[in-house]
Amino acid sequence: MINSVRSTVLSILNKNNFGYISPADFNNYCKQAQLEIFEDYFSKINKQINFENVRQSGTDYANLVKKISEDIEYFSSTNFLSHFANNIFYMPSLSTTGDSWFMTGKILCYTNELATGNTSSVVVNQLVDTAGAFTSKGIVANDIVVNVSTGDIARVISVVSATVISLTADIFTYAPEDYLILESASVKEAEKVTHGKVTMLNTSNLTMPNNTFPAYTLENSFITVYPSTVNSKGQVLSQYTRYPKDPKWTYVSLIGGEPSFDQSQPDYQDFELPQEEEPNLIIKILAYCGISIRETEVYQFAKMEERENDAK
Amino acid sequence: MAYISQFKYYTNNGVAPTDANFGSYQYVSLFDIVNNFMLMYNGNHSLVNNEERFKVLFHAKRAIQELNYDAFREVKTLQLTVSDDLRFILPSNYVNWVRISMYKDGYIRPLTENIQVMSTIQYEQNINGTIVFDINDNVVYIDPSRLNEDRLDGVQKSIYLNSSNPQNGNLGWNIDGAWYFSYTIGARYGLNTETANFNPTFRVDNKAGVINFSSDMREESCILEYISDGMEGGDDTSVSVNKLFEKYIYAYINYEILDKKLGVQEYIVTRARKDKRAAYLNAKIRISKIHPGKLLMNLRGIDKIIK
């Protein structure tokens, strides 16, 4: 979609010889335009829910909440959170989960520890512990296995024997390494609590967070999970909405000529918005271009289009 | 998929305690109540919206506590032997007692409560009656107090009831099971009905967390029937409620939230209150076990003349 957007933007700009937009500028405008549209989804869905509550929204093709939800859910991501210290975990970020977190959906805690120990030998995609006694510990498929030394996580495929478990990933590469196995059925959703409430909550006789009803607070890029026994990697899984990846129009430089689009470049990134957003992207990028090349006509045209779209 | 396999129900999968799941189908857990409420009653198109889960949890627990106090018929029991100090320490989940009995010679004998004070604290006083203080300006206690000491020694008088004995109805001292009487001069007026019982008497000291007994309860076995608040000592995984009250608990949480929420119209609050009341009455009728068969048995005896 990004090449099509660029071609359209350039053709509109060139129609009246308004000027030229370099690939670097274009990429910057793309990022801004995409973010604007992405963030707008959340206010749009809220508006639609309010319409629903006053019976001004329909079902089937008129169900706009469903459509906007789908657009947002494209950016949904689920990852285990990296452990910082004690009951504190890193929120998703480029360095920990490989994406940037925009909004937390839910925080899940695995509170029941099934087994701990250390590996006795290395076999690809397996956990081997001669003292394991895995068959008597209630370990089943999909339970979580954590390499405590590295923080790597895998799921149980099957318990092969009392000493061997087969895993979804090769997380034990030398022996001995400490491991921890958590029961996936023990998962409980932690509730977000404000800092204004958390101290009182932790001293409340009836509602103090526990393994059945955990809670968490957010501070900077860390979350603190309560009860404090939730304190190792693999115990906290997060579902969140990530930011869209920065779009990048990549090209091959031609000597003395126009840059030629090349999507085989490793840093190529298309827009992550649905196809129907192309006109909106073009309008928003044109508005940025208008400011950049100081063409008020382009800017005013783009803004007028945007207003018309909003009024629909 | 079944909630619980038959094997797990009857044997708990071989894990001790193997009887852990007996009768479990009658109950719904606290976790399920909160989860179901958040799922079914809380949301964009519901009256309850954007409420924190801990509030729902709080109201769910309060509902269970209230039900335990006056609606459930779930009485817990504990048997202990009363030692020399004539005390029975209340169980950790005790809220109120239903009946206190002495178990002796294979019979359960319900005891009566003595509303007179059986235990007290006592300050040290000097000969002039002024209170004595220690170097930290705190009062000095006499431990045990005179009243406690007399009770422990069995020197408090109580009434003796034995129609075949000439001392029947007289006040006397019960010391180590033997009765002693003072020489009777003149007449005794009135009867102390609280102690006019052959069996020992007791008084519950809620603040001290003990039941104090009269001296004739020494070394006897006591059975306490009591009610708890259903909080299982704070272990949320063990808290559960009879399914007959499930609807009531949802209605209770719904009402409590709507009642305290800003801007909710009064007619909605009233509707929620009526829902809650109706669910409560329904559940009370259900749990009272009025079966058609039972009614039929009663009706059959309607014309029977009681002689």
Side-chain angles (χ1 to χ4, degrees), chain A residues 148-167:
Chain A
V148 178
S149 311
T150 63
D152 292 336
I153 294 165
R155 297 267 183 178
V156 172
I157 294 175
S158 64
V159 179
V160 178
S161 68
T163 57
V164 179
I165 293 176
S166 82
L167 304 173

Side-chain angles (χ1 to χ4, degrees), chain B residues 56-118:
Chain B
V56 173
L57 175 63
F58 173 78
H59 292 306
K61 283 189 167 182
R62 285 291 304 118
I64 293 171
Q65 285 179 322
E66 290 295 328
L67 290 174
N68 270 274
Y69 299 151
D70 57 18
F72 287 161
R73 293 142 57 105
E74 292 180 12
V75 176
K76 295 175 187 292
T77 56
L78 177 67
Q79 182 171 11
L80 288 176
T81 299
V82 177
S83 59
D84 281 346
D85 57 9
L86 296 175
R87 291 193 315 182
F88 183 110
I89 299 169
L90 297 174
S92 58
N93 55 354
Y94 169 91
V95 171
N96 202 1
W97 62 277
V98 176
R99 187 163 50 185
I100 297 171
S101 314
M102 177 170 74
Y103 183 67
K104 191 171 184 179
D105 304 329
Y107 293 99
I108 295 174
R109 305 181 190 179
L111 305 180
T112 52
E113 185 180 21
N114 186 346
I115 61 164
Q116 291 177 353
V117 173
M118 293 183 90

Side-chain angles (χ1 to χ4, degrees), chain B residues 20-307:
Chain B
N21 298 317
F22 292 179
S24 61
Y25 202 73
Q26 300 167 80
Y27 297 93
V28 57
S29 71
L30 176 67
F31 175 79
D32 286 336
I33 287 169
V34 175
N35 205 39
N36 290 343
F37 187 89
M38 294 301 287
L39 202 59
M40 299 299 169
Y41 291 79
N42 181 49
N44 285 333
H45 309 305
S46 304
L47 286 171
V48 177
N49 191 17
N50 290 342
E51 281 299 334
E52 289 100 341
R53 187 180 64 190
F54 64 76
K55 279 191 185 174
V56 173
L57 175 63
F58 173 78
H59 292 306
K61 283 189 167 182
R62 285 291 304 118
I64 293 171
Q65 285 179 322
E66 290 295 328
L67 290 174
N68 270 274
Y69 299 151
D70 57 18
F72 287 161
R73 293 142 57 105
E74 292 180 12
V75 176
K76 295 175 187 292
T77 56
L78 177 67
Q79 182 171 11
L80 288 176
T81 299
V82 177
S83 59
D84 281 346
D85 57 9
L86 296 175
R87 291 193 315 182
F88 183 110
I89 299 169
L90 297 174
S92 58
N93 55 354
Y94 169 91
V95 171
N96 202 1
W97 62 277
V98 176
R99 187 163 50 185
I100 297 171
S101 314
M102 177 170 74
Y103 183 67
K104 191 171 184 179
D105 304 329
Y107 293 99
I108 295 174
R109 305 181 190 179
L111 305 180
T112 52
E113 185 180 21
N114 186 346
I115 61 164
Q116 291 177 353
V117 173
M118 293 183 90
S119 174
T120 181
I121 57 166
Q122 186 177 1
Y123 295 158
E124 184 79 58
Q125 291 169 289
N126 66 20
I127 198 159
N128 302 322
T130 51
I131 295 170
V132 175
F133 297 92
D134 64 12
I135 54 168
N136 298 318
D137 292 346
N138 294 320
V139 291
V140 178
Y141 292 97
I142 299 173
D143 189 27
S145 65
R146 175 80 183 277
L147 182 72
N148 289 3
E149 195 174 11
D150 283 357
R151 182 170 56 89
L152 293 172
D153 293 345
V155 293
Q156 275 179 299
K157 281 183 179 178
S158 57
I159 200 159
Y160 177 71
L161 293 173
N162 185 352
S163 57
S164 60
N165 190 296
Q167 294 288 355
N168 179 37
N170 290 339
L171 285 170
W173 292 269
N174 184 304
I175 300 170
D176 297 334
W179 282 86
Y180 301 87
F181 300 94
S182 56
Y183 184 70
T184 311
I185 300 170
R188 188 171 54 78
Y189 299 97
L191 175 69
N192 186 356
T193 50
E194 289 108 42
T195 55
N197 192 311
F198 180 76
N199 290 320
T201 57
F202 68 90
R203 186 175 163 88
V204 179
D205 188 342
N206 288 316
K207 204 70 187 169
V210 295
I211 304 168
N212 290 308
F213 287 95
S214 54
S215 59
D216 40 348
M217 191 66 185
R218 182 174 286 118
E219 301 301 332
E220 299 290 357
S221 183
C222 173
I223 298 174
L224 168 67
E225 293 166 70
Y226 68 101
I227 53 167
S228 182
D229 66 350
M231 291 296 103
E232 306 298 336
D235 178 9
D236 282 358
T237 56
S238 307
V239 177
S240 60
V241 64
N242 195 300
K243 280 177 180 168
L244 300 178
F245 283 94
E246 190 175 352
K247 169 73 182 157
Y248 166 73
I249 292 184
Y250 298 140
Y252 178 95
I253 301 168
N254 202 37
Y255 165 69
E256 288 294 329
I257 290 175
L258 291 173
D259 187 43
K260 311 291 181 296
K261 202 164 185 167
L262 189 71
V264 179
Q265 295 93 329
E266 191 52 36
Y267 73 91
I268 291 176
V269 177
T270 306
R271 196 169 75 197
R273 186 169 52 239
K274 284 179 179 170
D275 278 353
K276 181 189 75 154
R277 181 82 184 139
Y280 180 74
L281 293 176
N282 248 347
K284 284 270 278 188
I285 291 168
R286 284 176 185 162
I287 210 155
S288 64
K289 297 191 183 78
I290 302 173
H291 300 298
K294 219 177 204 177
L295 279 176
L296 191 64
M297 289 296 282
N298 290 342
L299 290 171
R300 276 175 183 157
I302 200 167
D303 296 327
K304 197 172 280 179
I305 298 166
I306 301 167
K307 291 176 183 171

Side-chain angles (χ1 to χ4, degrees), chain A residues 50-88:
Chain A
N50 289 337
F51 282 144
E52 275 190 357
N53 282 336
V54 290
R55 304 192 69 86
Q56 289 183 3
S57 180
T59 56
D60 295 337
Y61 297 120
N63 191 348
L64 291 181
V65 170
K66 187 181 172 196
K67 169 67 183 136
I68 302 168
S69 299
E70 284 173 0
D71 292 345
I72 293 174
E73 280 158 10
Y74 179 84
F75 300 97
S76 173
S77 196
T78 302
N79 277 304
F80 283 98
L81 298 186
S82 296
H83 183 224
F84 174 67
N86 302 323
N87 53 337
I88 302 172

Side-chain angles (χ1 to χ4, degrees), chain A:
Chain A
M1 182 160 71
I2 194 166
N3 195 40
S4 156
V5 169
R6 181 175 155 82
S7 304
T8 311
V9 166
L10 287 183
S11 76
I12 292 171
L13 290 176
N14 289 339
K15 194 176 165 194
N16 293 317
N17 291 326
F18 278 138
Y20 177 75
I21 298 298
S22 70
D25 287 346
F26 176 74
N27 285 337
N28 287 337
Y29 302 153
C30 285
K31 180 184 173 183
Q32 296 306 320
Q34 180 171 252
L35 271 179
E36 270 188 46
I37 293 170
F38 169 74
E39 284 168 9
D40 203 31
Y41 285 153
F42 297 87
S43 52
K44 269 186 185 168
I45 197 165
N46 195 39
K47 213 163 149 186
Q48 283 304 321
I49 286 168
N50 289 337
F51 282 144
E52 275 190 357
N53 282 336
V54 290
R55 304 192 69 86
Q56 289 183 3
S57 180
T59 56
D60 295 337
Y61 297 120
N63 191 348
L64 291 181
V65 170
K66 187 181 172 196
K67 169 67 183 136
I68 302 168
S69 299
E70 284 173 0
D71 292 345
I72 293 174
E73 280 158 10
Y74 179 84
F75 300 97
S76 173
S77 196
T78 302
N79 277 304
F80 283 98
L81 298 186
S82 296
H83 183 224
F84 174 67
N86 302 323
N87 53 337
I88 302 172
F89 294 80
Y90 289 101
M91 283 308 283
S93 64
L94 284 173
S95 58
T96 57
T97 55
D99 47 20
S100 299
W101 141 74
F102 172 75
M103 187 179 184
T104 312
K106 57 188 176 185
I107 298 288
L108 302 175
C109 299
Y110 294 91
T111 51
N112 193 20
E113 199 176 287
L114 292 173
T116 55
N118 45 60
T119 55
S120 49
S121 60
V122 177
V123 180
V124 175
N125 282 5
Q126 282 191 345
L127 163 61
V128 182
D129 179 5
T130 49
F134 296 134
T135 45
S136 63
K137 290 182 175 169
I139 298 164
V140 295
N142 209 36
D143 282 341
I144 298 151
V145 179
V146 184
N147 182 333
V148 178
S149 311
T150 63
D152 292 336
I153 294 165
R155 297 267 183 178
V156 172
I157 294 175
S158 64
V159 179
V160 178
S161 68
T163 57
V164 179
I165 293 176
S166 82
L167 304 173
T168 53
D170 191 24
I171 59 170
F172 298 103
T173 49
Y174 70 95
E177 280 183 311
D178 292 336
Y179 67 83
L180 164 71
I181 303 177
L182 298 160
E183 184 187 16
S184 63
S186 72
V187 67
K188 295 286 182 300
E189 187 170 343
E191 182 182 26
K192 168 92 166 61
V193 181
T194 62
H195 289 278
K197 294 273 186 193
V198 72
T199 313
M200 288 181 279
L201 192 70
N202 273 323
T203 52
S204 160
N205 62 338
L206 289 180
T207 57
M208 182 190 295
N210 54 35
N211 283 346
T212 313
F213 300 105
Y216 72 94
T217 54
L218 184 62
E219 188 164 16
N220 201 336
S221 56
F222 300 98
I223 63 162
T224 307
V225 184
Y226 302 95
S228 56
T229 48
V230 180
N231 55 13
S232 69
K233 189 173 183 193
Q235 283 199 284
V236 181
L237 183 72
S238 174
Q239 180 274 325
Y240 54 94
T241 307
R242 62 171 176 80
Y243 275 105
K245 291 172 186 161
D246 294 348
K248 190 152 192 189
W249 186 83
T250 47
Y251 58 95
V252 182
S253 291
L254 297 175
I255 299 166
E258 283 289 307
S260 170
F261 180 56
D262 179 11
Q263 62 178 14
S264 65
Q265 295 292 320
D267 54 346
Y268 165 74
Q269 178 61 54
D270 200 353
F271 288 109
E272 290 197 294
L273 299 175
Q275 195 71 39
E276 73 269 11
E277 296 291 358
E278 188 168 335
N280 290 334
L281 284 168
I282 292 166
I283 291 164
K284 285 185 186 299
I285 293 167
L286 274 175
Y288 285 119
C289 292
I291 294 168
S292 168
I293 59 179
R294 299 183 185 182
E295 285 294 347
T296 49
E297 275 179 41
V298 177
Y299 177 77
Q300 281 165 355
F301 167 74
K303 278 290 164 195
M304 189 183 70
E305 282 288 306
E306 206 174 323
R307 273 197 298 274
E308 277 178 15
N309 278 353
D310 286 348
K312 278 178 193 170

